[in-house]
Amino acid sequence: MSALALSVLLSLVSAVAYAGGAILQERVAATTPEQRYVPLRRGAWWAAIALNGLGALLHVAALAYGPLSLVQPLGALTIVFALPMAALFVRRRAGATAWRGAIMATVGLAGLLSLTSASGAQSLDGAERLVLALATGGGVLALTVAAHAVHRHPVVRSVMLACAAGAAFGIASVFTKTVAVDWEEGTAFARHLPSLGVIAVLAAAGVLISQASYRGAGLAAPLSTVTVVNPVVAAAVGLTLFGETFRYGTMGTVLALGCGVVATGGLILLTSERIARETSTGSGGGQPESASEPEAASVAVASPGPVPAPAVPGPVEPWFRAEVLPAVPSQPVPAASAHRRVAHRHSRRRERIGS
C-alpha cells in the first residue's frame, strides 16, 4: 500500500472514530442532562473520550503519511459518517434538511481547506504565544458565558458552546504545530512546557464544552459546528501568523470565500432544522406536551385522602352520596338541661372574674 493510500485510509478511520465519539457524547448528554460537563460515572462518556483520542492519533498518523491539503478535507467527513451511524446504532434519524446542511458544511469546509497552501515550517515567538493563548481563553470564556445567558434557547446555546469548543480545539492544534516545529529544531524541553500546558488546558476545555453542547440540541448541529470551526480557526491563525496563503491567487481567495459561505449556510440549515423540530414537537397549542404530565402527577400525590370537588363553574356533582354513608344514631340532649348547663357555666365564670 502506498503512503498516499495509507493516509486516506487513516483519515477515514479517524473520521469514523470521531463520529462514534460524538454519538456517544450526545447519548450521554441526552440521558444525564443534570451532568453537563463531566459525567465521570458514565462508562459511555469514557468510551467517547477514548474514541476521540483514537481519532486524534489516527489524524496525526495520516498527516505523517499524506499532505495536509488531503488529510484535513477528509477529516470533515465526520459529519457525513455521524448521521448514518446515529440512525443505525441509536435509532436517531436525521431529516432531509439536516442531511442537506451536513453535506453543505462538509463540501464548503473541504473546499476551503483544499485551497489553503502551507508555507515553510514556522513557529511563534513567546509574545505571540502569550497573546494567542490569552485571546483564545477570553473568547472561549465569553462564548461560554453568553451560551449560559441564552439557556432558554437550547439550539442557540448549543451552537455557541460548539463554537467555543471548536475554537479551543483549533488553537490547541496551532500550539501543537509550534511544538512540533520547535522539537525538530532541537529546542530545549523546558521551552515546550508552557505550550504543552496550553495544549492540555485547551484540549480539556474543548472536550468538556463540547460535551455540554450536545445537551438538548441533538447531534448534527453541535457536531457540524465543532467540525467546521476547528479547522477554520486554525486556518485563520495560519493565514495571519504562519504566512499561509490561498492557492491560485485572487481566484483562490474568491473561491475560498465562496466555500466559507457554503459551509456557513450548511450550519444555518442544521440549526434551523433543529429549531423547527423542537417547535413542532415541543409546542402543542402554545404549551409543551410534557407540561401537563408533571402537573397531573403532582395533584395525584398531593391528595392522599378523598379528593375534594374541583372548583369548576356550574353545577358540580357531589363527591359523596348521602345514602352510602352509614346511619349514625342520634343522641339528643334536652334543650332545657343544655340551656341550664350553659347558663350555670357562664354564671360561675362571671363570679370568678368579679371576685
Side-chain angles (χ1 to χ4, degrees), residues 14 26 81 135 162 226 296 352:
S14 172
E26 192 272 335
F81 288 151
V226 171
R352 289 180 180 178

Side-chain angles (χ1 to χ4, degrees), residues 253-312:
T253 304
V254 173
L255 290 175
L257 291 176
C259 292
V261 171
V262 172
T264 304
L267 294 180
I268 293 174
L269 275 180
L270 288 167
T271 305
S272 61
E273 189 266 348
R274 184 67 188 185
I275 292 175
R277 181 182 300 179
E278 286 188 352
T279 304
S280 60
T281 59
S283 60
Q287 292 181 353
E289 295 178 0
S290 60
S292 60
E293 297 178 3
E295 234 179 281
S298 64
V299 172
V301 173
S303 55
V307 180
V312 180

